[in-house]
Amino acid sequence: MVNIKRKYVIPGDLICEGNYSPLANVMKIGNRFYSTRVGMAEISREGVKVIPLSGIYIPRVDDIVIGKIIDYSAFAWEVDINSCFSAYLPAQSVFGKDFSPAKDSLVKKFDIGDLIVGKIVAFDRTRDPLLSVSGPGLGKVSKGEIIRIAPSKVPRLIGKKGSMIKAIENYTKCKLNIGQNGLIIATGPPEGILLAIKAIRLIEEEAHIADLTKKVQKLLEEGGSVGKVDR
Amino acid sequence: MGRLIDENGLRVDGRRVNELRPIKIEVGVLKNADGSASIELGKNKIVAAVYGPKEVHPKHMARPDRSILRCRYHMSPFSTETRKSPAPSRREIEISKVIREALEPALILEDYPRTAIDVYIEVLQADGGSRVAGITAAATALADAGINMRDLVTGCAAGKVDGQIVLDLNDIEDKEGEVDMPIAVMLNLNQVTLFQLEGILTPEEFKRAFEMALEGCKKIYQIQREALIKKYFGSAEPIQVE
């Protein structure tokens, strides 16, 4: 961490002036950088960026997402990934090269309403994102509690190098499977899940606060009183 | 003459010529909208809701290179003195169009191809200047929805009443006055996105009215900004984190 300057900004705010490279959610006019989102601006050696605090999920290649099958044709499933684009999961990537629409029925693998963990393999905004379920940890979700948070708060939930999520997992003895699209699947003992939900809600509410990991750790240590379950 | 501005230079509601009505903006008032804001400007009460970006229906309306912005300015039947028909009137259709055109330059629609962004502006209580208040609320709601924006849009009206240039006309001044001039601006970029003028002004009067409206926008912008900061960062003043 070398000399990173942070600042809270809203759209149109001047972040800084100078010779930087624009990274994300910034607009460059001349050598002035303006924010395009509500969030935290970061000025570092690599450039200027704004970490947004609101907004829907926009898919990116290599993102792990949790989606719901909403439709299928003879060749592919359509998956709701909590975004303005619905993802496309080709049957060939599930059944293999010798997939034949006459022989194989798609419902045998995934039916409408099934939850899946997938990976975005291709997306360039001109066409719907392409999903894949081949890989470790990917595929149908068979058990667990689903938790929804704002997609913009997912990076905060994961924390630096996964510090936040590791802390929650250690304390609650739960396994948290986080989708970049703001859906989380928690598996483990029920009291653990309740505590994890509490911690996640705290992170969601106070995402902009520095030193959040400490606050969450305190909550987890106190553990104790179990709040209501939200679904 | 002298009906709307008395001998002490005070207007019908007791304001000075360059004074705004009391204004209050709140962000995130609707739970189910992606972004929302409410504004109270004098007796105006307006709620703006933003949904999207989302899939476009009907599909043929979608643009392959950018998002489409759809606006609906609507006055509730109970918003006016006499009941207003809930069906969109000619006036509301026109205002929806000018509001859309006032917000469009601020949005980076190219970032969301094949999608739609819906903006609903509902006037719950009307008191003159509702289109500019609606624009202010809608821009705040768009920022709340997390849509990429070049700048916030702020609206304010100026006009001429009893031969004097005044700021932020209320309902009576709007109806009985000589000139109404609503404007909307992007203050950081120094650009005008809405400019309407009803009535006749001399070049000097126009210059004064425009400057006055711009000053009004600057004051409203501060409140708009504080409302956003209050929701996202908890305090009324931006905190600098090093």
Side-chain angles (χ1 to χ4, degrees), chain A residues 5-6 8 10 12-13 25 27 29 36-39 53-56 58 84-85 125-128 208, chain B residues 53-55 108 111 113-115 143-152 188-189 225 232-233 239 241-242:
Chain A
K5 270 188 166 173
R6 290 199 180 87
Y8 293 147
I10 64 167
D13 274 5
N25 303 316
M27 183 176 63
I29 300 175
T36 63
R37 294 283 276 273
V38 179
L53 284 174
S54 65
I56 59 151
I58 300 288
C84 49
F85 307 100
R125 295 191 189 204
T126 61
R127 265 180 274 171
D128 282 340
H208 59 281
Chain B
K54 59 182 190 180
E55 273 181 85
I108 308 174
D111 285 357
R114 300 182 297 124
T115 62
D144 182 38
I147 291 160
N148 281 344
M149 293 170 90
R150 297 184 175 89
D151 197 355
L152 287 178
N188 292 303
L189 299 176
R225 192 191 156 78
Y232 282 98
F233 312 119
I239 313 149
V241 195
E242 286 297 319

Side-chain angles (χ1 to χ4, degrees), chain A residues 81-115:
Chain A
I81 53 163
N82 193 27
S83 172
C84 49
F85 307 100
S86 51
Y88 188 77
L89 175 64
Q92 208 169 40
S93 76
V94 177
F95 287 96
K97 271 256 161 65
D98 57 343
F99 163 73
S100 126
K103 200 170 79 234
D104 304 302
S105 164
L106 269 74
V107 273
K108 275 186 191 153
K109 290 278 181 187
F110 306 123
D111 204 351
I112 290 174
D114 282 355
L115 286 174

Side-chain angles (χ1 to χ4, degrees), chain A residues 61-75:
Chain A
V61 173
D62 285 344
D63 273 0
I64 301 287
V65 294
I66 292 162
K68 187 174 167 186
I69 309 281
I70 47 172
D71 199 6
Y72 61 88
S73 66
F75 305 97

Side-chain angles (χ1 to χ4, degrees), chain B residues 3-235:
Chain B
R3 277 181 313 121
L4 292 169
I5 298 179
D6 70 11
E7 56 279 7
N8 302 319
L10 295 178
R11 289 149 71 179
V12 280
D13 51 7
R15 282 184 292 156
R16 305 235 155 250
V17 286
N18 60 352
E19 209 177 317
L20 283 170
R21 286 171 286 180
I23 173 169
K24 198 174 118 192
I25 302 175
E26 212 177 316
V27 182
V29 288
L30 303 173
K31 189 171 153 275
N32 288 330
D34 292 315
S36 61
S38 71
I39 186 167
E40 284 177 32
L41 177 65
K43 284 180 196 151
N44 280 304
K45 283 191 172 66
I46 301 166
V47 179
V50 172
Y51 297 86
K54 59 182 190 180
E55 273 181 85
V56 192
H57 289 291
K59 274 224 157 106
H60 68 85
M61 276 174 76
R63 300 274 124 204
D65 57 334
R66 64 191 161 90
S67 179
I68 54 166
L69 180 66
R70 297 185 290 203
C71 275
R72 176 189 184 250
Y73 165 97
H74 184 249
M75 287 170 93
S76 293
F78 50 82
S79 64
T80 44
E81 202 82 345
T82 47
R83 188 189 120 95
K84 187 208 147 283
S85 159
S89 64
R90 185 214 275 250
R91 174 180 174 273
E92 283 166 291
I93 295 165
E94 184 196 313
I95 292 179
S96 301
K97 175 188 175 281
V98 299
I99 289 180
R100 190 188 75 228
E101 287 168 356
L103 295 171
E104 245 168 5
L107 295 167
I108 308 174
L109 294 174
E110 299 78 19
D111 285 357
Y112 309 99
R114 300 182 297 124
T115 62
I117 298 164
D118 284 339
V119 176
Y120 297 95
I121 297 163
E122 187 71 26
V123 181
L124 303 176
Q125 191 169 293
D127 181 35
S130 66
R131 78 187 67 189
V132 281
I135 289 170
T136 310
T140 320
L142 282 162
D144 182 38
I147 291 160
N148 281 344
M149 293 170 90
R150 297 184 175 89
D151 197 355
L152 287 178
V153 187
T154 315
C156 188
K160 190 174 162 189
V161 166
D162 279 355
Q164 287 198 55
I165 300 298
V166 295
L167 181 66
D168 189 23
L169 283 73
N170 65 23
D171 197 37
I172 304 161
E173 291 170 330
D174 190 12
K175 282 179 180 134
E176 310 286 326
E178 292 120 274
V179 176
D180 180 25
M181 188 179 84
I183 68 163
V185 290
M186 296 192 280
L187 284 170
N188 292 303
L189 299 176
N190 218 4
Q191 287 174 358
V192 176
T193 67
L194 170 104
F195 183 88
Q196 293 184 300
L197 175 66
E198 191 193 300
I200 298 163
L201 290 173
T202 66
E204 294 75 43
E205 281 173 337
F206 163 71
K207 212 174 159 228
R208 267 206 61 207
F210 188 80
E211 273 163 14
M212 205 181 246
L214 205 59
E215 281 308 308
C217 284
K218 282 178 189 164
K219 282 177 191 152
I220 295 170
Y221 177 78
Q222 284 310 321
I223 293 156
Q224 200 179 4
R225 192 191 156 78
E226 273 164 27
L228 272 172
I229 285 170
K230 197 179 161 204
K231 183 189 166 191
Y232 282 98
F233 312 119
S235 65

Side-chain angles (χ1 to χ4, degrees), chain A residues 68-231:
Chain A
K68 187 174 167 186
I69 309 281
I70 47 172
D71 199 6
Y72 61 88
S73 66
F75 305 97
W77 289 273
E78 198 184 331
V79 189
D80 173 16
I81 53 163
N82 193 27
S83 172
C84 49
F85 307 100
S86 51
Y88 188 77
L89 175 64
Q92 208 169 40
S93 76
V94 177
F95 287 96
K97 271 256 161 65
D98 57 343
F99 163 73
S100 126
K103 200 170 79 234
D104 304 302
S105 164
L106 269 74
V107 273
K108 275 186 191 153
K109 290 278 181 187
F110 306 123
D111 204 351
I112 290 174
D114 282 355
L115 286 174
I116 57 160
V117 181
K119 188 178 180 180
I120 311 259
V121 284
F123 181 57
D124 60 2
R125 295 191 189 204
T126 61
R127 265 180 274 171
D128 282 340
L130 199 67
L131 222 53
S132 162
V133 287
S134 44
L138 306 183
K140 196 158 153 180
V141 178
S142 53
K143 58 174 182 177
E145 195 75 33
I146 192 130
I147 306 156
R148 233 173 222 278
I149 65 162
S152 54
K153 280 157 192 165
V154 169
R156 205 72 174 120
L157 174 63
I158 295 169
K160 276 198 192 79
K161 289 181 188 135
S163 59
M164 187 82 86
I165 199 67
K166 266 182 207 153
I168 299 175
E169 285 189 330
N170 283 342
Y171 276 103
T172 61
K173 306 273 178 285
C174 280
K175 172 91 188 67
L176 295 178
N177 203 345
I178 305 175
Q180 288 292 325
N181 57 343
L183 269 76
I184 303 152
I185 291 166
T187 42
E191 359 10 293
I193 290 176
L194 289 170
L195 189 58
I197 291 173
K198 257 180 128 178
I200 289 166
R201 292 284 166 251
L202 177 79
I203 296 164
E204 195 180 18
E205 265 165 46
E206 307 191 9
H208 59 281
I209 287 175
D211 260 349
L212 191 60
T213 320
K214 274 183 197 153
K215 210 169 168 182
V216 171
Q217 255 163 5
K218 207 176 144 219
L219 175 108
L220 291 167
E221 275 163 22
E222 287 165 3
S225 64
V226 175
K228 67 171 200 291
V229 195
D230 58 348
R231 284 174 201 281

